[in-house]
């Protein structure tokens, strides 16, 4: 068999392999286009089309009225704070579950999963009962004589943070636990045997190797926080407005589907810009270890 025939056979095999990969990838691509691309396309069209034809009035309103920019700023601020607090609260739980022996590790993970057995609506109303002026917290503090008047714990920014943290911390724990559980115990033993203290081994071995879990959990929590509606709406009491509430009010109160679509498109654009900036400063490939 000549060299030319071998090259043609290899090229044909490579082409067939690419076609096979494309065919295997095609169903997933169609699903993404159907459930993600098509809705985004409809939103983008509604945001620039009105009864009178194509218009940019909805985007002009966003740039001209301060309420929109204030809402975007509050949404990003709350999402960032909840993400950071979720890391600070979730990392010790994930680390404890990763280093504990059975059955304690299973018990810790089961307790973390426990909130998932209750709907978000029920959990939000439970926090209303706990944080309201005559709730459990204020009643207990008054009886102990620690306060003279009830604290304002509900229908404000603090209540929104507490309610969202209750939902988001478990979603941070599981990616962190998956990353921490993959760290070989031999590395920790080697670090200690070479004279490293527990804090030194944690900083130089455990923390760097767990960064993929931190990144995955942060992305998951941050994105979900941007679209949160129920918890901020109930615990915020109308004082803490997020973008989802702004979209809902444009649709239900004013029937402005174009304005609601423009608000959503701007949020998606801001998120993409933020992730592009983060990737430029700290490439995602380095965090997740892709070469």
């Amino acid at each position: 068999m000549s060299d030319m025939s071998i090259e043609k056979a290899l090229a044909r095999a490579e082409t067939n392999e690419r076609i096979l990969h494309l065919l295997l990838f095609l169903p997933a691509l169609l699903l993404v286009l159907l459930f993600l691309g098509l809705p985004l396309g409809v939103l983008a069209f509604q945001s620039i089309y009105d009864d009178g034809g194509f218009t940019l009035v909805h985007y002009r309103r966003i740039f001209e009225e301060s309420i929109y920019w204030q809402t975007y700023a509050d949404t990003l601020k709350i999402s960032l704070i909840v993400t950071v607090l979720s890391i600070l609260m979730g990392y010790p739980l994930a680390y404890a579950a990763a280093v504990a022996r059975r059955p304690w590790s299973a018990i810790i993970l089961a307790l973390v999963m426990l909130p998932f057995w209750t709907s978000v609506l029920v959990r939000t109303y439970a926090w209303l009962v706990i944080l309201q002026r005559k709730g459990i917290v204020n009643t207990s503090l008054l009886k102990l004589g620690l306060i003279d008047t009830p604290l304002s714990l509900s229908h404000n920014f603090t209540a929104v943070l507490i309610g969202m943290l209750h939902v988001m911390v478990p979603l941070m724990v599981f990616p962190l636990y998956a990353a921490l559980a993959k760290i070989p115990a031999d590395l920790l033993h080697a670090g200690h045997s070479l004279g490293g203290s527990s804090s030194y081994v944690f900083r130089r071995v455990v923390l760097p190797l767990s960064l993929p879990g931190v990144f995955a959990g942060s992305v998951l929590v941050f994105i979900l926080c941007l679209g949160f509606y129920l918890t901020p709406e109930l615990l915020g009491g109308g004082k803490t407005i997020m973008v989802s509430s702004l979209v809902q009010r444009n649709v239900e109160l004013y029937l402005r589907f174009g304005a609601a679509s423009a608000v959503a498109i701007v949020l998606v654009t801001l998120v993409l810009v933020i992730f592009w900036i983060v990737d430029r400063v700290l490439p995602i490939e380095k965090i997740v270890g892709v070469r």
Side-chain angles (χ1 to χ4, degrees), residues 137-147:
V137 174
N138 277 317
T139 301
S140 301
L141 293 177
L142 288 171
K143 288 183 177 179
L144 292 174
L146 299 177
I147 58 175

Side-chain angles (χ1 to χ4, degrees), residues 16-57:
N16 293 334
E17 185 177 1
R18 290 180 179 178
I19 294 175
L20 179 60
H21 289 168
L22 179 61
L23 292 175
L24 294 174
F25 178 70
L26 190 59
L29 178 61
L30 292 176
L31 287 176
V32 171
L33 291 176
L34 179 63
F35 293 105
L36 182 62
L38 182 60
L40 285 177
V42 172
L43 284 177
F45 178 77
Q46 286 184 340
S47 66
I48 61 175
Y49 185 82
D50 210 340
D51 296 335
F54 290 96
T55 178
L56 296 177
V57 64

Side-chain angles (χ1 to χ4, degrees), residues 98 174-188 209-210 212-213 288:
F174 293 115
L176 287 172
Y177 172 77
L180 289 168
K182 291 180 181 179
I183 300 176
D186 295 339
L187 291 179
L188 305 182
L209 293 178
S210 65
V288 299

Side-chain angles (χ1 to χ4, degrees), residues 44-190:
F45 178 77
Q46 286 184 340
S47 66
I48 61 175
Y49 185 82
D50 210 340
D51 296 335
F54 290 96
T55 178
L56 296 177
V57 64
H58 303 305
Y59 290 100
R60 192 180 306 118
R61 184 184 296 111
I62 292 176
F63 286 99
E64 291 176 352
E65 297 183 12
S66 61
I67 181 63
Y68 287 97
W69 284 108
Q70 185 62 44
T71 303
Y72 284 117
D74 290 342
T75 300
L76 293 173
K77 180 174 68 174
I78 292 174
S79 301
L80 183 60
I81 293 175
V82 171
T83 301
V84 173
L85 292 179
S86 296
I87 296 173
L88 296 177
M89 298 175 64
Y91 202 104
L93 290 173
Y95 186 77
V99 301
R101 297 181 179 179
R102 290 185 176 275
W104 294 110
S105 61
I107 292 175
I108 294 173
L109 292 177
L111 292 175
V112 172
M113 292 178 59
L114 193 60
F116 286 115
W117 300 347
T118 307
S119 69
V120 177
L121 180 62
V122 174
R123 280 182 274 173
T124 302
Y125 274 113
W127 278 114
L128 279 177
V129 174
I130 294 173
L131 298 176
Q132 64 182 341
R133 293 182 64 84
K134 294 184 179 179
I136 298 174
V137 174
N138 277 317
T139 301
S140 301
L141 293 177
L142 288 171
K143 288 183 177 179
L144 292 174
L146 299 177
I147 58 175
D148 297 326
T149 58
L151 301 175
S152 180
L153 300 176
S154 62
H155 299 129
N156 52 30
F157 185 83
T158 303
V160 173
L161 286 181
I162 294 174
M164 293 179 65
L165 273 173
H166 186 209
V167 177
M168 290 302 172
V169 168
L171 298 177
M172 178 66 73
V173 169
F174 293 115
L176 287 172
Y177 172 77
L180 289 168
K182 291 180 181 179
I183 300 176
D186 295 339
L187 291 179
L188 305 182
H189 296 324

Side-chain angles (χ1 to χ4, degrees), residues 236-252:
K239 299 177 182 178
T240 303
I241 301 175
M242 297 185 69
V243 173
S244 56
S245 300
L246 199 60
V247 172
Q248 178 263 337
R249 294 178 185 184
N250 272 306
V251 172
E252 291 192 2

Side-chain angles (χ1 to χ4, degrees), residues 260-273:
S261 300
V263 171
I265 291 297
V266 170
L267 178 64
V268 173
T269 305
L270 284 175
V271 172
L272 293 177
V273 170

